[in-house]
Every structure is written in structure tokens, then in C-alpha cells.
Amino acid sequence: MKFDTPATTNPIDRLKVVGKATDRIDGPLKTTGRAPYAYERHDVAPGAAYGYVLGSAIAKGRIIGMDLTAAKAAPGVLAIVTAENAGKLTKGNFNTANLLGGPEIEHYHQAVALVVAETFEQARAASSLIRIDYARTKGRFDLEAEMANAPLPPPGFGGPSESKVGNFAGAFAAAPVQLDARYTTPDHSHAMMEPHASTAKWEGDQLLLWTSNQMINWGKGDVARTLGLPKEKVRLMSPFVGGGFGGKLFVRADAILAALGAKAAGRPVKVALQRPLIANNTTHRPATIQRIRLGATRDGKITAIGHESWSGDLPGGGPETAVGQTRLLYAGENRLTAMRLAVLDLPEGNAMRAPGEAPGLMALEIAMDEMAEKLGMDPVEFRAINDTQVDPEAANRPFSQRQLIQCMRIGAEKFGWAKRAKAPGAIREGRWLIGMGMAAAFRNNLNGKSGARVRLDGKGVVTVETDMTDIGTGTYTIIAQTAAEMMGVPLETVVVRLGDSSFPASAGSGGQWGANSSTAGVYAACSMLRDKVTAALGFNSADVVFEDGHVRAGNRSVALAEAAKGGELVAEDFMDYGDLAKKYQQSTFGAHFVEVGVDAATAEVRVRRMLAVCAAGRILNPKSARSQVIGAMTMGVGSALMEELAVDKRFGYFVNHDLAGYEVPVHADIPHQEVIFLEETDPTTSPMKAKGVGELGLCGVGAAVANAIYNACGVRVRDYPVTLDKLLPGMPAFA
Amino acid sequence: MKAFEYTRASSPADAAALAAKTPGARFIAGGTNLLDLMKLEIETPTHLIDVNKLALDRIEETSDGGLRIGALVRNTDLAADKRVRRDYAVLTRAIVAGASGQLRNKATTAGNLLQRTRCPYFYDPNQPCNKRKPGSGCAAIGGFSRQLAVIGTSKACIATYPGDMAIAMRLLDATVETVKPDGSTRKIAIADFHRLPGDTPHLDNTLQTGELITAVTLPKPLGGKHFYHKVRDRASYAFALVSVAAVVQKDGTGRVAFGGMAHKPWRVEAAEAALPKGAAATAKIAFAGATPTHDNAFKLQLAERTLAAVLHEARG
């Protein structure tokens, strides 16, 4: 099915199942421990041996000698895989560095060996007996030092690396009110609960790989490419994923090494990356240095808006696309954006939840707060008067929907924004300095081709199969809701099977495109199944209705199950997209409001209240959508207050590579969170009229927290995370 | 983790004797720190002597009005003890400020005193660390040192002692009771228990080979108001950047000890005389001669301000 004209009325609009707050259909499996994750597939791969990954001890250089003798002789060892004995491996299309290093070492903790043994403990103990001599070479580990060597990279996922409209330099110089400020965001780790994990089993020349991955079709391609196998000889299964946040968009060392280990050991092998390897062996969100220049008239109209970003990556990698939102969020006739990319020999950077917008808005939305203050304007008003209903870089492209002002106004009303003190440091309760901050939220909507297969059996059970993944987001449930709505059956009559590469390829989970794209694919397949049902039951009316488990037209009503009496009906289709996303700018919008307390003595920050107002198309399941948003708000608090991969610029690695050193919020850090979804349907996105929210919920949160801190204590911090050591020098004396 | 032998000790003296004659032996009680270190092969004992079954899990009143806390009393039980909550509230507050409920259920009084540093370079076997591998160097000096020590450091080590309970113990002038491999016992003042790194940072404390902690005793209660103010980057489940343990009397005199500042709980008795004059005067003496790094110099200001908050609350 092709989606190339805006949607009109369709069966989804009945909203009998879709749009209702619905418990996760996979919830009981998870709460009772029966949802099988990749590392625990003894049900399908019994007798698996254990693989343990040894990471490189240096960041850059060469292995000049490797002695496996002692490790091979260690108790229980079955095989050791290294670059020397692994055979030819081709780097995956989605990888920047090789997943198995040696003799060249590209980054710290790059995998250099897999030890396979009878037990996990034996594999781990033997790995420490591998003796490696390294020759270090000098690496580049300091983004600041490499800024001068950072060219504009070729266009990539985030579009062109530079954009110019009007005469930015002239307009900025002439602006009566100016802001020119520098902001930094640190490297972030996905730090998901479930580490990257895989169980591999060979059946002849067929590889079965149970893995934890967001993008099954990408993964299947890259496993095949890396191992030199035909695609049809690789099957990936990832029915449950314990968090990904972008860290599992790509095939990582666990998958490739499990496959190689299983071949070498002649039996199934399972591999989970140990926690200390997550930070340096896998991908991370790259640090940025950002310069923002805003020029405005005295009445607050932006006349010049400039946003430049610097980030680094290994050779062949890409930039953190931190300026993307600045091309679309605010009006202004003269515009400049640029993303520059330095070569760094740190582990490879890549997407983490809301790549680009998350760090970009952390900077831009502080800048907007600073500019509002310079203008003596309320931050909400300043943003509102610079709203635009068209793409500011291409005025002939309207936004399909844009309720930013509504989000801000409703949020301000609900949050009690009017009580915010204009001057910072004005409100004190006991030892706490209290402040409020807000930020706009913006994240693009992306659609991807997505397929599904739908089966109807003689009992009326509808089964959906797609390689789409549920990374904790609630995909199982919204797909079941979609199929139930389309086929006119209760939710309980729908079975959803996900994450298997033998199912039709989906858009996968990433970039908050999963919900709309995957359900649109299910819509397409269900539309085809409806036609088959209609034909099987001998209806020829165009106004046939699927409802309450029956198919009805005029006076005739037949149970849906009747259609499959003679055998299962199967329909497979996909949704593909025309150019509506080119004609219309499809984005999601929101506003975040935060109240913090700052300890007047210690400068500790405690978030006291949070509110997100989101306008993101049709909300398919308000319950799981809310969970997505509050989870994202929590992540936003982490990025504001504590998350930072600390770079050792001498040795070239992230030092705090465990969950004691890399702090993310705990329950005690997170206060009452409220989420409001505005009524919205977007007919340009798909027949579902939906968009994504999973990343929108994060976008802007960091800046809202930072702005609230400024309002509370009067200290403006432009370098994240806003830890107390950065606040202390500016804090008033404690008395 | 290396394979190891396992023995369950039958008495404290037997445990000490066995440990002394078994190279590479370590005692294990709660294991909340040791097992992590073994998994990373930072600790590689060849023999674990399990002391959990020894009857050292009681809290008893002493003849001089204090408390004797068995080495195996779990953190949760110690913090919840009515006598501790009433007379040594600083100790309860320190304990519950640390770790998580699950860890405190396992962690023991003696084991907690022996908790090793959380310096990230100590935790990465690829990096030089004089504490982990004597003579290999110190990667923390010149590296990421935000959490590390600002006073009492050496050219060999700038690690901090990470615990909370011991800061309160130091404030209260606790005594560590031990049994030695020859069966004799001794008492070590808490002030002499933890060491500064000097040129032997691999030695965290003054215990001898095989020596086993059997109890920690507290002298009679001090009265006054008790405080444990722990400052960290998140609201819970994090090691202290700075912590302040204090007992303040009505007349403004008192005691103060600091966590997160040094290789041992940091208490300078001479500084306590300045407490009535305020935090700045006290901190000036307590941290005279400090040697912070660029990353952790803020701790000096933070310690002073945290003490100021405590003194403010004491007056209130």
C-alpha cells in the first residue's frame, strides 16, 4: 500500500480500541519472568556454552603479540576467537569501527578476543590469561583541541552539514539585542538495563541468532555482510529487548562473536557484554561544543539565528546533528547552521534517543531563555512571537501540524508559570532556593516503509507477524490495538509476534518512527486481509463493516471466523510513502516545565515538579505513550544533572564505565511527573494519523532544568551536566 | 574471577590462624565489595574463609555505658537498633545514607570498614594503580579525579575512602577489636585503623596478615545533636562527594568528621575547637595543607558550606 495523499476517514477513526489507554499485552509475561530475552534462550538453544569478550587495553595502536597458550589450557575452555583465526570479516554498513579488533586497535575496549568455555566463570577467568603486547600510537581524544581540524562533513542522516538563509552575519551585527554564547554537552552512554546480548546456534550453514536489537532488517544485513553469508542464511530473533535507546540499532560485538564462537565450539554460544564494556565497546552519544548566536529587535523578533556545532567521531563516522531543530523551530529571516566533525579516536559515536535534538535543544533552549532575559520578556512569550507555521528555510513547506504555542500556553496555565519570579534567586523555602524553567520540545517525525503479515484462523483469532521490535515502548500493544480495530475484534483475539527476520521487514524501532510506521504497515496488511475476508464471505458491498467479531453489510452479518473455515486466510503487505513528508514538514512539538530546588548551602539540585505537554499526532495508546514520555523526562533529568562519560584525554577512553561511575537518576531524583497530550490527528503521516512521542519527551528537558536552576539561584551554567561544582562559585554566601 | 578454595571458619581465632597460614586467603562476610572486586580480578584470593557463621552478630551494652557491635552485625540491623538510634544517631544516619537497602541487608560492620576505594582507575585493571598493583603508577593523578582525595594524598595515590559508616565511627571515637592469628586480641582506635596512602597505598588499614575484626565498640554517648549530611550528584545510591558527620552541643562545641575528602575518615581534633566560631574557621584548620586537583578543588568549598549548613541546623 502506498501512502501518498493525506488520509481520509478509515476504520482506525472509530477509535474503539486504538486511542484507548491500554495495559501492555506483554505485561504479564514480563512481570512473571516468562518473556525470553536473548541471553536466556535455553528453550531453543539448549547446552549453550558461554562466551566472554576481552576488550582492548589501549585506545589506539596495534597488537604486536598475542599469547593464547595459558588461556587455551585453562579449565573448561572450548575455543578462543581472535581476528587472527576468525577468517575474513567485513565491517557492517552501520558500523564505524570493526567489531573484532586486531592487529589494528581503533578504540578502547574494542573486542580483541572471545573466550568460549563451559561456564561463564571459566570463560571470564581464562580471558584474563590471554597475554597481549600492544604498541600504542598517539590518538586524538580531546574535542576542544580538535575544533580547528573539524571540517563540514558530507550530507548525512541529518541533512546537509550547513545551511544559510539571508545574510546572517550582517543581520546579527545589526541586531539591537544580541546573544553569542557557547554551550557544551558531554558524551552520553545509553546505559540500558539489558546489556547487548546474543545466543548463536548453527544449523548446518544456517545461523540462528537470538539477539537484543532494535532493527532486525538492518541487523540481518550486517550480520550477513560481516560474516560473508548470504542474507537468507541468517535469521535474527529479538522478541524482547530490555532497553535500547539507540544503542541497539546496530549489530555489535556480542552478535558477531557469538556466531563465530558457536562455529568454533561446534555448539550454541551465548555472549553478553559485561557492564564495563558498554561504555567503550559500543556506541555512545557524542559530546558537542555549540555556539549559538541570536539577534533580535527590542520587541523580541528574532532577525538572526545561528547555531554551529562541533563533535567528533572515528574516521568514517558522522556528526552529532545538534543543529537540526534550529533549522525548523523558530522564525527569523537570516539563518546559519553548521555541523563540523573532528576525527577522534574515542569509541564510535552514534544515535542515542533523539540524536541531534536532545543535545541541540539542551543548548538552544538555554540560549532562548538567556535572550528572553536580555529582552525583559517572558520565556513563553518570546518563543510564541517567534513561532512559524512554515519551514523557515523553505516558506512553501507548511508544517503539517504545529501546536507549539498551544503546548506552551496550556503548560504555563497548568503548571502555574505565572508564579515564577522574574528575577532569579528570589524565592526561598528554608534552605531551598526555588525556581521554574521551561523549554520548547521539538522532534521530527520520520516515517519508514514497514511490512506485516496478518493471519485469520477458523476460530477468529487474528495473528500479526512483523520483524518490528518492542524495546519496552509498547509496540506489542499498539500493533494489537491496530489489528483489533481494523478487523473489528476484541484485543484479546489478537496475537502479535515480533522481532523475527523471517517475518516481513518493518521500519524497526528508532528515531521515534516505530509506532506510526509499524502500525501503518499493520494497517496495510489488515486492509488486504479485510478484502480477502470480504471476498471469502461473498460480500460485494463497499460499505462492509468489521465489528464485534462480525462482518456486516446491510442486513447480513457473518462471524469473522467463518471466513477462515476453509483454511487460514493470510495477507501480507507493507506501507510505503510518497512525498507528503517533502510537501509538509512533519514534526512533533511540546513544552516542558520544571520546578527545582537548589540547596542554598551545597548547591545540590532537586527537581520538584515536571510537566510535559505534547502535540504529536494521534496518541495510539495514552498509557504506554505516557510511560514513554515520563521515561524520557527522567532521562532528561539525567542529562541535565548527572550523566557524563568522563574522557581520559591521555589514555583515550571513558573512565566511568560502570553504573556506579556513570550516574543516571534513581527514584529519589524523580518527582511527580505530569504529561498532557493535546488532541491532534495528522492525516499527512499515515492512515494512523499518528507520530512519535518516545523522543519528544526528552527534547528540551535538560534546558528546562538548567533554566529552572538559573531562575532558582541565579547561576547560569552552559556546560552540562549542571553539577554542584559548577554552581558553587556563583552561589551567594550561605548564612 | 579466579577459582578459589572455600572454608567455613569455626571460631574467630581459627579463622585468623587459617588466614595467616594460607597465602592469598581473604575473609568473606557480606561480600558486597569483595565479590565485585573478584569478578574484575582486582582481588584474586585463592582461598575464601567464610566468617558468616561466627557468632559475632550481637549488639551489647558495655560496662562503661557504651555499645559493643559484633563484626557481623548487618548495616540494616545496626542502623535500626533502638540504642543506636537514640544515643548514636549520627551512626544510623551515616549508614542509611549509604548504598541501598539490599546492600545494607548484606553488608557487615567489619566489612564496611574494609570497603575499598571507588577510584575508577583502581577499578580498571588495564590502568596503572599503585593500590591495585604496587609500583605500577597512579593513573588518577592527572586523570579524572573529581571524586578523589583533596588532603592526605601522596605521589603514589589520591584515592578516597568511600564509606559512610566509618565517618561516624571516627567521630564517635570507636575502637576496633580484633583477634590475631596467635589467638591474642587487640584494640585499635578507629583513628589509627585507616591509613593514609603514603608510598604503600595498597595497604588500606593497619590490620596485620590474618587479623580478624571481631567487634567495634562505641564509648558512652556524647549527647548533643547528631548530623550526617552527605552530598552527592544524585539523591541516593551514590558515593559522597563530601559528607559531614557532626555532634554539636548546646554551647556550640562539638565534633566533626568528613567523608569523601581523604584516604581515611578525616577528623582533625584541633579544628573542632573552632566549631563555635563557625564553618570557615573550622574548615581552615581541618583542611590546612590540602592538595586538591583541578577536578576536585570544589570539595574544599563544598565541605565548608556543608558544615555551615549543619551548624545552621544545629542552631535552629
Side-chain angles (χ1 to χ4, degrees):
Chain A
M1 185 177 275
K2 181 108 174 174
F3 185 74
D4 50 11
T5 53
T8 53
T9 302
N10 67 52
I12 297 296
D13 294 322
R14 298 183 294 181
L15 298 181
K16 291 193 166 186
V17 192
V18 169
K20 295 266 191 290
T22 305
D23 288 345
R24 287 164 196 265
I25 61 171
D26 52 324
L29 281 181
K30 287 183 174 170
T31 50
T32 56
R34 288 176 297 145
Y37 288 83
Y39 198 65
E40 33 195 52
R41 295 316 301 262
H42 33 267
D43 56 334
V44 282
Y50 291 78
Y52 190 85
V53 177
L54 180 65
S56 166
I58 65 165
K60 189 167 172 62
R62 277 180 78 79
I63 293 174
I64 51 176
M66 200 171 198
D67 183 355
L68 305 180
T69 316
K72 276 184 177 162
V77 171
L78 300 168
I80 300 177
V81 177
T82 67
E84 220 166 64
N85 65 25
K88 181 177 161 21
L89 299 176
T90 306
K91 194 170 71 183
N93 286 324
F94 292 94
N95 298 131
T96 305
N98 291 297
L99 296 178
L100 180 58
E104 288 300 320
I105 296 299
E106 295 163 285
H107 62 86
Y108 193 72
H109 275 173
Q110 184 174 28
V112 293
L114 179 83
V115 179
V116 180
E118 292 287 351
T119 70
F120 173 78
E121 289 76 12
Q122 288 171 333
R124 182 173 60 189
S127 76
S128 72
L129 299 174
I130 296 176
R131 286 221 298 277
I132 304 179
D133 289 324
Y134 295 98
R136 287 178 198 258
T137 50
K138 195 172 166 352
R140 291 148 293 188
F141 308 123
D142 185 351
L143 176 59
E144 174 95 42
E146 298 298 324
M147 280 178 80
N149 311 317
L152 295 165
F157 196 74
S161 52
E162 190 178 42
S163 71
K164 291 178 177 175
V165 177
N167 173 8
F168 171 77
F172 179 71
V177 186
Q178 297 172 343
L179 174 87
D180 184 351
R182 190 181 114 132
Y183 306 86
T184 63
T185 63
D187 298 284
H188 285 155
S189 179
H190 304 85
M192 69 295 278
M193 287 269 277
E194 181 203 25
H196 298 73
S198 298
T199 299
K201 177 183 174 184
W202 291 87
E203 287 181 350
D205 60 353
Q206 171 86 36
L207 172 63
L208 302 177
L209 196 59
W210 293 270
T211 188
S212 185
N213 191 289
Q214 300 172 222
M215 300 293 293
I216 298 307
N217 199 36
W218 289 4
K220 175 178 171 167
D222 261 2
V223 169
R225 177 180 160 87
T226 305
L227 297 175
L229 298 170
K231 263 176 114 170
E232 60 273 16
K233 293 295 181 190
V234 175
R235 184 173 168 198
L236 258 60
M237 286 151 286
S238 194
F240 294 98
V241 179
F245 309 119
K248 293 174 181 168
L249 289 166
F250 320 109
V251 171
R252 299 300 311 170
D254 58 296
I256 297 304
L257 290 173
L260 292 169
K263 185 132 254 183
R267 60 192 262 196
V269 166
K270 58 182 182 176
V271 178
L273 295 185
Q274 58 270 31
R275 186 58 65 178
L277 251 56
I278 301 291
N280 289 285
N281 178 277
T282 75
T283 59
H284 65 278
R285 186 202 302 283
T288 65
I289 297 171
Q290 302 179 47
R291 182 186 187 193
I292 295 180
R293 282 174 287 174
L294 299 175
T297 58
R298 295 207 185 279
D299 58 357
K301 282 269 182 204
I302 294 175
T303 53
I305 181 165
H307 192 165
E308 296 157 275
S309 171
W310 288 258
S311 62
D313 203 355
L314 286 167
E320 179 66 24
T321 57
V323 305
Q325 74 289 319
T326 308
R327 295 173 178 168
L328 291 161
L329 188 49
Y330 297 115
E333 280 187 16
N334 303 286
R335 316 178 67 87
L336 165 74
T337 69
M339 307 181 265
R340 295 191 175 80
L341 178 63
V343 170
L344 290 181
D345 297 302
L346 291 168
E348 71 184 78
N350 214 313
M352 181 167 145
R353 199 175 198 174
E357 279 100 330
L361 284 164
M362 285 166 78
L364 178 65
E365 289 298 288
I366 292 184
M368 290 297 285
D369 199 66
E370 294 196 65
M371 194 62 170
E373 188 182 32
K374 278 178 184 260
L375 290 160
M377 293 182 73
D378 182 271
V380 170
E381 294 309 316
F382 176 52
R383 287 172 174 86
I385 67 167
N386 288 292
D387 189 46
T388 173
Q389 292 294 316
V390 297
D391 176 348
E393 291 189 352
N396 59 338
R397 289 181 72 230
F399 282 92
S400 59
Q401 303 275 350
R402 180 172 165 125
Q403 298 199 71
L404 173 61
I405 291 181
Q406 291 88 332
C407 289
M408 292 193 297
R409 296 255 188 257
I410 289 168
E413 161 81 27
K414 297 274 182 198
F415 200 69
W417 181 249
K419 289 187 193 143
R420 169 180 174 269
K422 266 191 183 169
I427 299 178
R428 184 164 173 170
E429 289 176 14
R431 222 173 61 222
W432 294 98
L433 301 167
I434 312 297
M436 287 190 214
M438 62 83 57
F442 172 92
R443 172 74 178 152
N444 264 344
N445 180 65
L446 302 166
N447 294 326
K449 181 179 170 183
S450 198
R453 185 159 55 221
V454 194
R455 305 172 182 277
L456 174 69
D457 73 10
K459 290 177 179 161
V461 172
V462 176
T463 301
V464 185
E465 296 171 342
T466 165
D467 84 356
M468 180 62 189
T469 47
D470 187 329
I471 61 172
T473 41
T475 314
Y476 275 103
T477 310
I478 56 171
I479 283 181
Q481 288 173 278
T482 303
E485 195 78 75
M486 288 297 289
M487 302 311 298
V489 298
L491 197 64
E492 300 71 38
T493 316
V494 180
V495 174
V496 181
R497 300 171 67 194
L498 297 181
D500 187 328
S501 65
S502 67
F503 298 154
S506 73
S509 297
Q512 79 172 16
W513 64 61
N516 182 52
S517 300
S518 69
T519 54
V522 174
Y523 175 99
C526 286
S527 296
M528 183 183 281
L529 183 61
R530 285 165 61 107
D531 292 345
K532 290 193 176 187
V533 167
T534 306
L537 295 177
F539 285 99
N540 50 18
S541 165
D543 57 357
V544 64
V545 175
F546 286 67
E547 203 167 42
D548 301 330
H550 284 71
V551 187
R552 205 173 58 234
N555 293 330
R556 184 173 169 230
S557 176
V558 186
L560 179 67
E562 288 292 311
K565 250 193 160 174
E568 191 183 50
L569 293 185
V570 183
E572 179 176 333
D573 200 1
F574 55 84
M575 185 65 78
D576 202 2
Y577 294 86
D579 62 355
L580 285 174
K582 288 200 176 79
K583 283 186 192 158
Y584 298 95
Q585 175 56 40
Q586 300 170 349
S587 304
T588 60
F589 294 89
H592 288 287
F593 291 82
V594 173
E595 181 180 287
V596 303
V598 179
D599 189 308
T602 62
E604 287 166 283
V605 176
R606 295 286 181 265
V607 178
R608 290 157 57 106
R609 291 191 295 140
M610 303 180 81
L611 166 67
V613 184
C614 303
R618 173 174 281 155
I619 301 302
L620 302 172
N621 179 357
K623 187 166 190 176
S624 54
R626 177 181 179 277
S627 295
Q628 279 293 291
V629 175
I630 64 172
M633 290 158 78
T634 302
M635 195 177 233
V637 171
S639 68
L641 298 181
M642 62 194 82
E643 289 192 48
E644 175 176 22
L645 284 167
V647 180
D648 188 307
K649 292 170 186 169
R650 307 161 304 168
F651 300 127
Y653 75 108
F654 301 127
V655 179
N656 49 342
H657 50 57
D658 59 34
L659 290 178
Y662 186 83
E663 292 183 12
V664 298
V666 295
H667 285 284
D669 291 296
I670 302 303
H672 181 69
Q673 297 172 312
E674 204 176 330
V675 182
I676 296 170
F677 293 110
L678 298 191
E679 282 294 323
E680 184 175 298
T681 49
D682 191 334
T684 72
T685 62
S686 84
M688 303 304 294
K689 304 173 185 173
K691 290 183 273 205
V693 294
E695 298 188 334
L696 178 68
L698 169 60
C699 294
V701 175
V705 174
N707 294 340
I709 292 169
Y710 174 72
N711 184 244
C713 69
V715 184
R716 182 69 79 180
V717 176
R718 299 181 184 85
D719 302 295
Y720 289 98
V722 187
T723 45
L724 56 85
D725 48 307
K726 295 169 189 167
L727 295 170
L728 279 173
M731 291 287 286
F734 177 75
Chain B
M1 187 183 282
K2 303 286 186 195
F4 55 87
E5 299 285 317
Y6 171 89
T7 306
R8 187 174 287 168
S10 53
S11 75
D14 286 351
L18 179 59
K21 72 177 186 205
T22 313
R26 292 295 306 265
F27 301 119
I28 183 164
T32 57
N33 191 200
L34 180 62
L35 293 177
D36 282 351
L37 294 169
M38 287 170 66
K39 289 172 188 173
L40 293 165
E41 297 197 359
I42 294 161
E43 298 258 14
T44 52
T46 54
H47 199 122
L48 286 187
I49 301 167
D50 186 342
V51 296
N52 279 296
K53 293 286 177 185
L54 303 182
L56 300 172
D57 57 353
R58 293 176 60 188
I59 304 173
E60 300 161 318
E61 285 155 35
T62 61
S63 54
D64 59 354
L67 283 183
R68 186 172 188 276
I69 304 156
L72 292 169
V73 172
R74 307 286 153 170
N75 279 180
T76 297
D77 298 327
L78 179 57
D81 185 273
K82 272 185 189 166
R83 295 160 293 186
V84 175
R85 289 169 59 189
R86 184 187 63 216
D87 297 331
Y88 306 96
V90 63
L91 182 56
T92 290
R93 289 178 182 150
I95 291 170
V96 299
S100 67
Q102 294 90 333
L103 286 165
R104 293 193 298 267
N105 288 343
K106 285 297 287 181
T108 63
T109 304
N112 199 272
L113 289 176
L114 301 176
Q115 185 177 187
R116 307 210 69 191
T117 187
R118 300 287 167 160
C119 173
Y121 297 96
F122 174 73
Y123 263 80
D124 189 333
N126 290 326
Q127 305 307 331
C129 172
N130 289 320
K131 184 180 277 295
R132 177 169 24 81
K133 193 176 172 194
S136 63
C138 173
I141 295 174
F144 173 63
S145 56
R146 187 166 181 273
Q147 288 275 354
L148 304 180
V150 297
I151 193 161
T153 59
S154 73
K155 285 182 179 165
C157 181
I158 58 171
T160 36
Y161 172 76
D164 293 299
M165 183 194 80
I167 314 302
M169 294 287 200
R170 175 71 181 88
L171 185 86
L172 295 168
D173 278 334
T175 301
V176 179
E177 297 185 359
T178 70
V179 58
K180 293 205 273 190
D182 64 3
S184 65
T185 61
R186 71 163 171 156
K187 294 180 176 177
I188 309 168
I190 187 79
D192 301 326
F193 183 79
H194 292 105
R195 299 174 73 260
L196 288 178
D199 53 8
T200 53
H202 59 291
L203 302 174
D204 291 346
N205 55 58
T206 52
L207 289 175
Q208 296 163 8
T209 302
E211 189 171 10
L212 177 73
I213 298 172
T214 51
V216 177
T217 56
L218 302 178
K220 67 178 184 347
L222 293 168
K225 288 187 181 175
H226 288 222
F227 300 90
Y228 190 77
H229 194 136
K230 180 177 180 179
V231 182
R232 42 192 157 177
D233 285 324
R234 62 181 171 191
S236 179
Y237 202 47
F239 295 97
L241 295 167
V242 167
S243 68
V244 173
V247 172
V248 183
Q249 306 296 341
K250 271 186 182 158
D251 60 2
T253 63
R255 296 183 182 183
V256 61
F258 297 88
M261 303 298 276
H263 197 260
K264 58 190 282 185
W266 195 253
R267 180 175 168 207
V268 176
E269 277 83 348
E272 292 171 351
L275 274 174
K277 286 189 242 168
T282 309
K284 193 176 173 189
I285 303 168
F287 299 112
T291 52
T293 66
H294 174 269
D295 286 357
N296 65 25
F298 75 93
K299 285 188 174 189
L300 292 168
Q301 190 187 2
L302 180 60
E304 182 188 319
R305 291 181 73 113
T306 308
L307 177 58
V310 165
L311 296 179
H312 181 82
E313 206 180 327
R315 285 193 300 271

